[in-house]
Amino acid sequence: MKLLVIGSGGREHALAWRLARSPRVHKVYVAPGNGGTEEGDLLQNVPLTSAEELADFVVREGVSLTVVGPEAPLAAGVVDVFRARGLKIFGPTRAAAQLESSKDYAKAFMVRHGIPTARYETFTDPTKAHAYIDEQGAPIVIKADGLAAGKGVVVAADLEQAHAAVDAMLGDGSLGQAGARVVIEECLVGEEASFIVMVDGRNVLALATSQDHKRLLDGDAGPNTGGMGAYSPAPIITPELHHRIMREIILPTVQGMARDGIPYTGFLYAGLMIAPGDDPDRAIKTLEFNCRMGDPETQPIMMRVKSDLLDALEHAVEGTLDQADIVWDRRTALGVVLAAHNYPGTPRSGDVIAPLPADTEDCAIFHAGTRLEDGQLKTSGGRVLCVTALGDSVRMARERAYTAVDAVQFDGRQYRTDIGWRALRPSQQKTKP
Ligand code: AMP
Ligand code: GLY
């Protein structure tokens, strides 16, 4: 069987790598792909990005099933285009992708369906937004309504930052349409976790839990990034919290979308804030929805899939996810992102990457911002590689990953040396499911 994965990041490489291990798959095309998704006979890049061209390609090559990685093609309606042509694709429609592509839509949806989230108001008028900030006080969170490639959220520690964020978003149009409306919300405290599920419109199959590290530098300092590393499972999500998240957040979301006439299909990612402490009733609130898997969360999650992921995907597109299961490796997987010089500003491209160590049974290097130029691998984006390893404990996965990181060389590489620190706290070791 031939499959197509749309996207070019580390998430897509990990997804294609896992799918290529299905005994029923003999080719996974990746469009447009990266320097790592060219490998061997099983993975092949396709230099196409438009939905119509991709649909033509799928028909021409006899591709059985397409999976979409990133949010941009989903928000642009690639699933609608494929479905209109009777092609099998896993992802949300353009309307359903609004859960990610419009923060205002997502917040109004959550309020309407009783899904716990931070208190908020939406503004288009800067004067009213400034007045609301003065009334609420700081800390406070300012979010651009639309997709802003990770640049649309400001967690303002004081009023000055909050007002400046409103001016930047509503005032000078620096985020274009994405910033034409802002959501201003209560600042939540606690620990974040990523909860990703597969949805077929009605049924839900949860993936393994994960946590990522959004800040550039050790100790969660420095600017926000797309994510500098991740691990799975997230020890904070005990079986009790897992059950509550399904009951209080995931199932009401899927049922709410169906009731609103926009059934949700695809991966659904709930970014959660779990209140501090160990009270089993502590608040769990939804910070955001993404209409896709996380990057880099997908890399460790895919390392832990032991069963045939294609089975689950087929059930997902047929609407029979209630009959699907995924067997998870009980070990921890941990991924360390190596980023290019000057990431997350304007990353430098074109640095030569020295030959990479070969993947092993328990360590794989997923590519993101890489390209092959005359047989030589070079950097071509902000996040370049994600070195991902399995281990019997967080500590062992981490040691294995960092040993491989040491063997990866390119000029200007940046990475954090403390990925997984939260999961290594003594309190977390006890609660690990
Ligand atoms: P979002 O794109 O909505 O996930 O926001 C990006 C990051 O901003 C989140 O991962 C959090 O670290 C932070 N954040 C978003 N909303 C809030 C909130 N209401 N309170 C505290 N931090 C937040
Ligand atoms: N790692 C966070 C995200 O994919 O949105």
Side-chain angles (χ1 to χ4, degrees):
M1 191 184 280
K2 296 176 177 177
L3 306 177
L4 170 66
V5 171
I6 298 178
S8 63
R11 168 184 47 215
E12 289 76 33
H13 187 191
L15 179 61
W17 169 89
R18 174 51 66 201
L19 287 170
R21 271 144 190 80
S22 164
R24 291 189 290 134
V25 170
H26 66 268
K27 181 73 88 187
V28 183
Y29 295 106
V30 187
N34 59 42
T37 52
E38 263 312 354
E39 117 200 4
D41 296 336
L42 284 168
L43 301 186
Q44 187 178 323
N45 288 345
V46 181
L48 298 175
T49 49
S50 99
E52 290 293 349
E53 281 175 346
L54 287 166
D56 291 341
F57 174 82
V58 156
V59 172
R60 199 165 60 239
E61 293 298 327
V63 170
S64 307
L65 175 58
T66 300
V67 192
V68 191
E71 63 277 19
L74 294 164
V78 68
V79 170
D80 309 63
V81 169
F82 271 55
R83 287 214 188 131
R85 295 178 58 169
L87 303 172
K88 285 187 185 170
I89 186 163
F90 188 56
T93 58
R94 181 190 176 128
Q98 285 180 96
L99 275 184
E100 175 168 2
S101 64
S102 167
K103 304 248 185 223
D104 178 50
Y105 174 89
K107 296 295 284 190
F109 171 86
M110 287 191 264
V111 170
R112 194 160 66 242
H113 293 285
I115 296 155
T117 189
R119 209 176 52 245
Y120 84 107
E121 293 272 343
T122 301
F123 298 92
T124 49
D125 176 348
T127 312
K128 289 188 180 147
H130 287 302
Y132 182 74
I133 288 170
D134 285 331
E135 182 192 307
Q136 296 291 316
I140 192 159
V141 181
I142 322 292
K143 300 183 174 185
D145 177 52
L147 292 179
K151 298 195 174 79
V153 176
V154 175
V155 180
D158 53 42
L159 289 176
E160 203 179 325
Q161 276 178 28
H163 288 301
V166 165
D167 285 336
M169 290 180 198
L170 287 181
D172 68 3
S174 62
L175 289 171
Q177 264 313 102
R181 251 190 311 189
V182 295
V183 165
I184 303 187
E185 69 177 37
E186 165 197 11
C187 188
L188 300 174
V189 289
E191 185 166 331
E192 288 183 50
S194 307
F195 200 92
I196 307 172
V197 298
M198 295 172 77
V199 188
D200 68 6
R202 203 159 41 108
N203 306 296
V204 176
L205 179 63
L207 300 186
T209 58
S210 56
Q211 279 178 299
D212 77 342
H213 294 264
K214 290 212 167 64
R215 302 297 189 115
L216 181 70
L217 304 173
D218 283 3
D220 292 330
N224 253 320
T225 70
M228 293 299 290
Y231 48 93
S232 170
I236 188 170
I237 314 255
T238 58
E240 293 74 25
L241 290 192
H242 197 285
H243 188 70
R244 280 188 54 204
I245 292 162
M246 288 295 284
R247 200 181 60 227
E248 295 171 21
I249 294 169
I250 302 295
L251 295 175
T253 300
V254 173
Q255 286 155 7
M257 291 297 282
R259 225 176 304 143
D260 287 355
I262 309 176
Y264 192 93
T265 51
F267 292 104
L268 176 66
Y269 168 138
L272 305 173
M273 184 70 94
I274 299 164
D278 50 17
D279 176 353
D281 294 327
R282 69 199 144 131
I284 306 175
K285 292 192 178 172
T286 311
L287 288 176
E288 61 163 344
F289 285 119
N290 293 320
C291 59
R292 50 172 174 83
M293 294 194 285
D295 189 340
E297 290 95 324
T298 301
Q299 290 86 315
I301 291 174
M302 287 298 129
M303 280 295 275
R304 291 187 60 217
V305 175
K306 282 181 77 173
S307 49
D308 187 347
L309 186 63
L310 177 61
D311 289 346
L313 267 178
E314 285 181 324
H315 279 295
V317 292
E318 297 303 336
T320 51
L321 260 186
D322 51 329
Q323 295 165 36
D325 196 13
I326 296 176
V327 180
W328 298 101
D329 195 314
R330 289 175 48 194
R331 290 174 293 173
T332 293
L334 182 144
V336 179
V337 168
L338 290 112
H341 175 73
N342 207 34
Y343 178 74
T346 313
R348 188 171 70 201
S349 276
D351 285 307
V352 173
I353 303 170
L356 295 172
D359 287 354
T360 61
E361 191 65 33
D362 42 27
C363 185
I365 300 182
F366 298 114
H367 294 228
T370 71
R371 69 184 145 88
L372 275 172
E373 210 179 273
D374 303 326
Q376 193 165 50
L377 197 62
K378 294 189 173 170
T379 64
S380 68
R383 291 184 293 172
V384 177
L385 298 161
C386 182
V387 176
T388 312
L390 284 162
D392 285 326
S393 63
V394 181
R395 198 174 299 279
M396 287 166 81
R398 172 150 121 154
E399 270 173 30
R400 191 167 279 141
Y402 278 110
T403 301
V405 164
D406 284 341
V408 177
Q409 297 294 339
F410 58 88
D411 276 350
R413 70 179 185 156
Q414 322 179 50
Y415 62 89
R416 283 180 58 160
T417 63
D418 65 347
I419 299 303
W421 69 265
R422 271 196 204 88
L424 282 165
R425 286 170 303 174
S427 63
Q428 298 294 337
Q429 299 292 295
K430 285 196 291 268
T431 57
K432 188 172 166 181

